[in-house]
Amino acid sequence: MTVVTLGVHIVDVLARPVESIPAGQDTHLLEQIRITAAGAAAGTAVDLAKLGVQVASAGAVGDDELGDFLLMVMERHGVDVGGIVRKPGEQTAASILPIRPDGGRPSFHVPGANLGLSPADLDHGRVRAAGFLHLGGMDVTWGLHDPGFFALLDEARSGGTVVTMDLLSNMPDLVQGARVFLPHVDYFLPNEEQALMMSGAADAEEAAVKLLGEGPRGVLVTLGGEGSLVATAAGITRVPALDVPVVDTTGCGDAYCAGFIAGLAAGRDVLGAAGLGTAVAARVAGGLGSDAGLDGLDPSLL
Ligand SMILES: Nc1ncnc2c1ncn2[C@@H]1O[C@H](COP(=O)(O)OP(=O)(O)OP(=O)(O)O)[C@@H](O)[C@H]1O
Ligand SMILES: [Mg+2]
């Protein structure tokens, strides 16, 4: 069964441990610098490929060296990149993340080509044929806030595609704007901040219930080191995070989504799939970058 990840593609440049920006022209020596294919679609795609799931990604990058790098890395991990279009004259989205000694992750970001992604860039046949379609970062891909795209999602779902969705930003206007997708998705996986912003609720449980009322079969609110909360018609269950030494939590949400989708694809129920998401996210938290800790992994052992 093929998974299609659709949405945001970002090159992450990560460095650790960073305590401060050096004064003047000083240089600080660090332990590690990495560059990865990341973002709510690309990062999830790489994680899925590392979990042994057949995955194709769809989105937009620039016609620049960062775009060359992103496609090369995704392909090297086994992701089908045929659905990623190149936008001449735009820059590939990128983030610089100086990771603090405690794993904290401030960032600098250029949104670049992601903002221009539109339904015309997509291979609709591929979307309809997907077993699972993961929408990554619909709060920043405004070009997809389009009745034609919603109709495509509904068509895919009526053909059996399971649609999952995650967000990217923590900007209230953008996050609230993505609410229009809720009637068109099966499972919504925001983090706590996004769930509160989108619903206007006072806590994660209330947020999950409100968001569930807008259409999805399941809402999974991730709570960082506190784990996650899984809300379905059957009720609300808290899934604790694993107690692991944390290096960098970049991409933990993407890893959770990848594990969740891999779990559903392998026939697990929603709570079982959330458990796999939790285990995959814990591996990613133990290393630098959104795909850390997943090499040579047998997901059936998690
Ligand atoms: N410190 C931690 N220790 C163990 N597991 C963690 C930790 N932080 C996050 N996780 C796991 O990762 C999941 C997702 O984390 P989080 O809620 O931070 O996602 P996020 O904010 O969407 O991150 P991103 O957008 O960078 O992917 C959590 O539900 C939890 O299972
Ligand atoms: Mg996230």
Side-chain angles (χ1 to χ4, degrees):
M1 184 176 300
T2 300
V3 178
V4 173
T5 53
L6 190 164
V8 167
H9 289 65
I10 302 173
V11 173
D12 273 2
V13 181
L14 311 106
R16 67 168 277 274
V18 176
E19 297 191 33
S20 62
I21 293 182
Q25 312 293 321
D26 282 357
T27 298
H28 288 179
L29 295 183
L30 301 176
E31 281 174 37
Q32 196 183 8
I33 293 178
R34 279 196 75 204
I35 174 164
T36 63
T44 306
V46 168
D47 292 350
L48 281 161
K50 287 191 171 193
L51 295 173
V53 176
Q54 202 181 325
V55 56
S57 207
V61 299
D63 198 11
D64 53 4
E65 293 88 348
L66 285 172
D68 294 345
F69 170 83
L70 193 62
L71 296 178
M72 183 270 288
V73 167
M74 292 180 78
E75 261 191 305
R76 214 173 82 176
H77 291 301
V79 178
D80 177 346
V81 298
I84 302 174
V85 297
R86 305 204 69 160
K87 302 263 182 187
E90 292 193 36
Q91 101 137 78
T92 298
S95 293
I96 292 183
L97 298 118
I99 306 301
R100 301 185 208 275
D102 66 358
R105 44 164 162 138
S107 66
F108 302 94
H109 180 64
V110 177
N114 287 320
L115 301 183
L117 182 64
S118 83
D121 295 320
L122 306 172
D123 177 342
H124 292 210
R126 244 177 209 253
V127 170
R128 283 191 211 98
F132 289 85
L133 174 67
H134 181 63
L135 305 175
M138 294 300 104
D139 46 333
V140 302
T141 55
W142 308 309
L144 298 178
H145 292 218
D146 178 291
F149 185 60
F150 300 144
L152 175 63
L153 297 178
D154 294 342
E155 254 179 81
R157 290 176 75 205
S158 62
T161 303
V162 175
V163 178
T164 55
M165 179 169 84
D166 185 15
L167 303 177
L168 184 79
S169 79
N170 62 356
M171 301 172 81
D173 291 353
L174 300 188
V175 168
Q176 279 158 22
R179 202 165 168 167
V180 290
F181 284 85
L182 291 178
H184 309 284
V185 308
D186 293 288
Y187 296 100
F188 179 39
L189 300 101
N191 66 26
E192 184 173 24
E193 190 179 24
Q194 292 158 344
L196 296 179
M197 273 178 190
M198 190 184 265
S199 63
D203 62 55
E205 298 209 359
E206 186 192 333
V209 171
K210 276 191 162 175
L211 297 171
L212 196 60
E214 298 196 23
R217 282 196 259 167
V219 173
L220 294 90
V221 181
T222 64
L223 311 166
E226 298 298 308
S228 60
L229 191 151
V230 180
T232 64
I236 296 186
T237 308
R238 282 192 174 256
V239 180
L242 302 187
D243 189 8
V244 290
V246 172
V247 171
D248 162 36
T249 60
T250 304
C252 276
D254 305 331
Y256 187 100
C257 291
F260 179 70
I261 295 164
L264 291 183
R268 294 194 187 203
D269 63 12
V270 173
L271 275 179
L276 185 57
T278 301
V280 173
R283 304 278 307 211
V284 165
L288 183 66
S290 65
D291 63 347
L294 301 182
D295 289 313
L297 195 66
D298 178 351
S300 69
L301 300 178
L302 289 176

